[in-house]
Amino acid sequence: MRVLLVEDEKRLAHLLKDGLAGEGFAVDVTYDGRDGLWMATENPYDVIVLDVMLPRMNGYTVCARLRDAENWTPILMLTAKDGVHDEAEALDTGADDFLSKPFSYVVLLARLRALVRRGGHARPVSIVVGDLTIDPAGLRCRRGEVNIPLTPKEFAVLHGLARRQGEVVSKSELLAQAWDFSYDGDPNIVEVYISALRRKIDSPFGRSSLVTVRGAGYRLEA
Amino acid sequence: MRVLLVEDEKRLAHLLKDGLAGEGFAVDVTYDGRDGLWMATENPYDVIVLDVMLPRMNGYTVCARLRDAENWTPILMLTAKDGVHDEAEALDTGADDFLSKPFSYVVLLARLRALVRRGGHARPVSIVVGDLTIDPAGLRCRRGEVNIPLTPKEFAVLHGLARRQGEVVSKSELLAQAWDFSYDGDPNIVEVYISALRRKIDSPFGRSSLVTVRGAGYRLEA
DNA sequence: CCCTTACCTGAACCCAGCCTGAAGGCAGCA
DNA sequence: TGCTGCCTTCAGGCTGGGTTCAGGTAAGGG
């Protein structure tokens, strides 16, 4: 599953690359539009994530050029926050979907999956941790046969832990994955969500699958 | 089920191709009339979608030539919006049905299905979600044995959700599927239709199959 | 055994996102 | 010409998810 990421904010690009790589995507990154266009034409990708504001050639142009060249690789555009207008323009130039910044990692992932699926290759993925099942496409979760309703943020945190089940995931990693990249609030928020998750996925079942590793982070285990 | 799509607006062609592919059609695309004619004579298609305004050879001519050559593949013509005149001419030259731009995807799909069925190869497909049955060919819907009358737009939205039952479908995806590709109005329209759908398919039955996933979209479940 | 540090969690606030009823516009039809 | 039904817009209200905060609890080191 190959992804081309065209994004000039290096920090964001880096975070996304790591995250997607962890999902099993092969990620190529370029930092400006012209390189992006070149990469996209020279290599077969399953999906392209394309920022709108880019040096040397903006996202719309890249998108339009690709379509002109009859390259129909699914494109997910990242538009500016307030650009209601941008959305229409993104779709106009041939993008398949868009996401306005700031966005959360989980939503991006869900959209990417949808695009890739539409592109032909079906791949229903659920993460299983013991009798806990996490379904990223439906943003759903259940323990055994019991459905557990989660809010989007709760789901995002749980997903971040489940992807690396058995490993310790640090609070800052969870923050990076589940919150907007521009989030700048109290890091304590992670603890709050861990607490909420335990109340939903562990306490009612007499489990303790969500373990605190003092000074390092949290671990989800079977 | 093979479809030949002859349409020179690349963006529209692309969207249609993706949509139809997602329905299980094998879609070939050409961008001008002469290529279209050639493709149609060289390959056996179940149905042809033919734009009227085309480079190199217009749709009427393509249609007439095919019929002259005793090729009776069902043809659906795409005519210009105001061309009341075009419709008559389309049917005169041997088309089986026509659709004026802009049209919605669901209507196109229904017409295609109708044509294909008329062409001999019946393929009644219904989407079943619990006891809810959606029949894209007839634009019908029922819960259990109770028939539920839906307006075309309501049906389009429901269809978009049903095609991916159990998964979260974002508002923008619903917009893209159920509205004209040129639609540029209030995205709130989706919420309005969700509301209307609930009033018809859920409330009267004491169900709540149409679930809001805050910040992500909607999900239709059994 | 105490102190520090890290973590837990209930309560309270705020507001984005969503819901929905009402009304206008428009096209088809009798 | 009026009627009917559907699409769309709009605005007000509300819900519940996100965030902050503060007081409490556990872990670990000296």
Side-chain angles (χ1 to χ4, degrees):
Chain A
M1 202 54 45
R2 302 193 60 186
V3 182
L4 175 63
L5 173 61
V6 190
E7 167 64 63
D8 63 319
E9 286 178 50
K10 300 243 163 109
R11 186 171 144 268
L12 174 55
H14 185 229
L15 282 166
L16 284 178
K17 176 174 179 161
D18 283 352
L20 294 173
E23 298 288 334
F25 290 92
V27 187
D28 289 342
V29 182
T30 62
Y31 303 109
D32 73 67
R34 197 158 304 188
D35 286 351
L37 178 56
W38 189 83
M39 292 281 283
T41 50
E42 294 302 314
N43 305 285
Y45 291 100
D46 295 290
V47 63
I48 299 173
V49 179
L50 187 59
D51 193 10
V52 164
M53 293 286 298
L54 286 171
R56 299 180 75 206
M57 181 185 292
N58 73 46
Y60 299 134
T61 312
V62 175
C63 187
R65 291 275 183 92
L66 281 172
R67 296 314 188 214
D68 281 346
E70 306 201 12
N71 178 323
W72 307 118
T73 308
I75 292 180
L76 175 66
M77 273 222 185
L78 307 179
T79 63
K81 162 145 189 151
D82 49 351
V84 183
H85 219 246
D86 295 351
E87 300 174 355
E89 188 159 7
L91 295 176
D92 275 350
T93 53
D96 298 271
D97 198 358
F98 58 83
L99 207 52
S100 10
K101 293 185 181 179
F103 53 84
S104 87
Y105 176 73
V106 174
V107 171
L108 173 74
L109 200 58
R111 300 282 191 92
L112 275 189
R113 286 234 163 79
L115 278 185
V116 169
R117 181 159 5 86
R118 262 195 263 160
H121 323 268
R123 179 175 295 199
V125 196
S126 287
I127 304 176
V128 177
V129 185
D131 64 346
L132 190 69
T133 307
I134 289 109
D135 166 22
L139 295 184
R140 275 190 299 188
C141 157
R142 60 190 160 82
R143 166 88 74 191
E145 292 307 311
V146 184
N147 219 34
I148 303 175
L150 295 180
T151 73
K153 275 276 187 291
E154 286 166 358
F155 189 91
V157 173
L158 177 59
H159 186 222
L161 288 161
R163 276 173 51 211
R164 294 169 52 189
Q165 53 179 293
E167 296 177 31
V168 175
V169 184
S170 76
K171 277 193 243 187
S172 54
E173 287 175 301
L174 288 173
L175 260 182
Q177 283 174 32
W179 273 264
D180 297 337
F181 299 103
S182 60
Y183 179 79
D184 187 31
D186 192 342
N188 169 45
I189 191 82
V190 176
E191 293 162 22
V192 173
Y193 273 88
I194 293 289
S195 173
L197 277 173
R198 281 178 174 145
R199 202 177 312 129
K200 289 187 175 183
I201 70 170
D202 273 346
S203 309
F205 303 90
R207 306 295 186 83
S208 51
S209 59
L210 220 173
V211 182
T212 301
V213 180
R214 204 182 162 84
Y218 299 90
R219 183 178 54 219
L220 183 67
E221 55 192 23
Chain B
M1 202 56 45
R2 303 193 58 187
V3 181
L4 174 64
L5 174 60
V6 190
E7 168 61 70
D8 63 320
E9 287 180 51
K10 302 240 163 117
R11 188 173 141 263
L12 176 56
H14 171 228
L15 283 165
L16 286 178
K17 175 174 178 164
D18 274 2
L20 294 172
E23 298 290 332
F25 291 92
V27 186
D28 288 341
V29 182
T30 62
Y31 304 108
D32 75 59
R34 196 159 305 187
D35 285 351
L37 178 57
W38 188 83
M39 292 281 282
T41 50
E42 294 300 315
N43 305 285
Y45 291 100
D46 297 289
V47 63
I48 299 173
V49 179
L50 187 59
D51 195 2
V52 164
M53 293 286 298
L54 286 172
R56 299 180 76 206
M57 181 186 293
N58 74 46
Y60 301 132
T61 312
V62 175
C63 187
R65 291 275 184 91
L66 280 172
R67 297 314 187 214
D68 281 348
E70 307 206 13
N71 178 323
W72 307 115
T73 308
I75 292 180
L76 174 66
M77 274 224 186
L78 306 179
T79 63
K81 164 147 188 148
D82 49 353
V84 184
H85 219 245
D86 295 349
E87 302 173 355
E89 190 161 358
L91 296 177
D92 277 350
T93 54
D96 299 272
D97 197 0
F98 59 83
L99 207 52
S100 18
K101 295 184 181 179
F103 52 84
S104 89
Y105 174 74
V106 174
V107 171
L108 172 74
L109 200 58
R111 300 282 191 92
L112 274 189
R113 287 232 165 82
L115 277 186
V116 170
R117 188 158 359 92
R118 258 195 269 162
H121 323 267
R123 199 182 63 144
V125 190
S126 289
I127 305 176
V128 177
V129 184
D131 65 345
L132 190 70
T133 307
I134 289 110
D135 168 22
L139 293 184
R140 285 168 190 286
C141 159
R142 60 189 160 82
R143 165 88 73 193
E145 293 307 313
V146 184
N147 220 34
I148 303 175
L150 295 179
T151 74
K153 276 275 186 290
E154 286 167 357
F155 191 91
V157 173
L158 179 59
H159 186 216
L161 287 161
R163 277 171 54 199
R164 291 170 53 189
Q165 55 177 292
E167 294 179 28
V168 174
V169 183
S170 75
K171 277 191 242 188
S172 54
E173 287 175 301
L174 288 173
L175 261 183
Q177 283 175 33
W179 273 263
D180 294 332
F181 302 109
S182 58
Y183 180 78
D184 186 31
D186 193 342
N188 169 44
I189 190 81
V190 176
E191 293 162 24
V192 173
Y193 274 88
I194 293 288
S195 175
L197 277 173
R198 281 179 175 144
R199 206 175 308 130
K200 290 187 174 182
I201 71 170
D202 273 346
S203 308
F205 303 91
R207 306 295 187 83
S208 50
S209 59
L210 219 174
V211 182
T212 301
V213 181
R214 212 183 156 84
Y218 299 91
R219 184 179 53 217
L220 183 66
E221 56 191 21

